Amino acid sequence: MNLRPGEQLVLRSIPWDLNMMTALINGAGGNDHLDLLQLRAASSLAESGRIPERLETSSPVALDHLAAHRTIQLDGREINGQQMEMSRIDTVVGAGTTELWTVRNTHNQPHNFHLHGVAFQIVAAGASSPDPQSGWKDTVLLAAGETIQLAITFPPYQDPLIPYMYHCHLMWHEDVGMMAQFTVVDPDQVDSAPRTLEVDHDHMAAGHDHG
């Protein structure tokens, strides 16, 4: 995008279909118009360097050797029918493996699904692989009743006692317990890794933040 001298442009958030009744859409901000960023070009502009035609190259996550296909259900203030419990490990994944997560929002409100420690690619409905043009993400918004698939390759580091989070990133939803935990372990230890932890409630486990 090139700006002319003195030109101003505004990045604006416009209403989005959250698949809810009007009162709930209004309460969730779905009908808001928000100015997010204003760009102001100076009255005199210097020549800039040439912008590359492509800034980065992304390949789709390969789905031909999936270690697991999981279903994550978001409903009310729960994930898979449970609220957060710091001593419970909800999911154990193999380091360096790729999984396909189907995330279903069965609630009548939207939820922002956020995963700590990794980035994922979205697999469109009916597609056999992710579209790398949509980029890497760590958070995705699901409208009421929406289902998406996430292609996730987990990192090589591993620790069966240090959990990471996945949760709704609407702050008051996570604050009332809409969170779950996963650990990354050696692929050969996925079935034997601990599913419970001894927790010091004065010191939250690593990865437990609002990031």
Side-chain angles (χ1 to χ4, degrees):
M1 179 180 62
N2 294 319
L3 295 180
R4 297 184 298 272
E7 185 178 8
Q8 296 185 9
L9 290 178
V10 175
L11 177 64
R12 179 168 294 149
S13 173
I14 61 176
W16 186 69
D17 184 10
L18 297 175
N19 197 26
M20 302 187 297
M21 65 178 65
T22 300
L24 290 177
I25 291 176
N26 291 339
N31 283 327
D32 291 351
H33 289 78
L34 300 173
D35 289 351
L36 304 177
L37 174 69
Q38 185 181 76
L39 302 176
R40 303 175 184 176
S43 57
S44 177
L45 300 178
E47 188 72 24
S48 63
R50 181 183 176 89
I51 299 176
E53 293 184 5
R54 175 172 292 188
L55 297 180
E56 71 140 13
T57 300
S58 295
S59 300
V61 175
L63 302 181
D64 48 350
H65 296 292
L66 292 174
H69 187 165
R70 305 182 192 274
T71 298
I72 309 296
Q73 180 171 304
L74 311 176
D75 191 20
R77 304 295 176 262
E78 297 178 335
I79 297 178
N80 286 349
Q82 296 180 303
Q83 289 196 317
M84 173 68 178
E85 172 52 57
M86 289 180 60
S87 63
R88 185 185 70 238
I89 299 301
D90 300 276
T91 304
V92 178
V93 303
T97 64
T98 298
E99 297 189 356
L100 188 66
W101 287 23
T102 299
V103 184
R104 306 185 189 278
N105 181 8
T106 58
H107 195 204
N108 63 359
Q109 297 179 18
H111 290 289
N112 261 336
F113 185 73
H114 174 56
L115 192 63
H116 284 210
V118 297
F120 53 76
Q121 292 179 351
I122 296 176
V123 182
S128 59
S129 65
D131 178 6
Q133 299 301 316
S134 66
W136 292 93
K137 303 179 184 298
D138 65 9
T139 307
V140 60
L141 176 63
L142 285 84
E146 186 175 7
T147 297
I148 60 170
Q149 288 188 310
L150 310 180
I152 310 166
T153 298
F154 291 92
Y157 48 82
Q158 51 196 270
D159 192 320
L161 302 180
I162 302 296
Y164 295 88
M165 302 283 299
Y166 52 97
H167 58 91
C168 178
H169 218 311
L170 296 174
M171 299 295 272
W172 70 278
H173 288 187
E174 64 179 270
D175 284 349
V176 296
M178 198 172 185
M179 301 186 288
Q181 301 185 113
F182 72 96
T183 53
V184 182
V185 303
D186 185 284
D188 293 335
Q189 297 177 347
V190 168
D191 293 333
S192 60
R195 264 58 178 181
T196 59
L197 300 174
E198 293 185 7
V199 175
D200 179 353
H201 286 272
D202 292 329
H203 299 85
M204 296 183 71
H208 291 196
D209 56 34
H210 290 130

